[in-house]
Amino acid sequence: MNFLYFDPGLGAMIVQAVVAAAAGILLFSKSVMYKVKSFFGLVKEEEDTYDSIDVEEQDTDKYDREN
């Protein structure tokens, strides 16, 4: 006797579950590895580009007066 019936909806649900599980495992493992690396100090901190931009107070005052 055959009690299982696989229609296209069930097949799509199985594919969706497999894809979601793979994505969840990938993202979870990336975050865990980042936490482990940062705990041991193996993560290189990237320099923020906007921190190196120097804006003088005179430059902003000039723009404010014009507008």
Side-chain angles (χ1 to χ4, degrees):
M1 281 202 243
N2 190 0
F3 292 109
L4 298 176
Y5 174 70
F6 290 95
D7 62 349
L10 181 62
M13 189 184 303
I14 291 171
V15 169
Q16 180 181 0
V18 169
V19 169
I25 290 170
L26 178 71
L27 292 175
F28 178 74
S29 65
K30 284 179 85 172
S31 67
V32 168
M33 287 306 295
Y34 179 77
K35 288 178 183 178
V36 169
K37 286 181 180 180
S38 65
F39 178 75
F40 289 113
L42 300 174
V43 176
K44 295 180 183 175
E45 303 242 351
E46 293 185 14
E47 192 173 308
D48 192 9
T49 307
Y50 296 110
D51 285 342
S52 64
I53 298 175
D54 294 328
V55 177
E56 299 294 328
E57 188 67 31
Q58 299 164 357
D59 296 338
T60 58
D61 290 341
K62 180 182 175 186
Y63 180 77
D64 289 339
R65 279 185 260 136
E66 290 175 356
N67 292 327

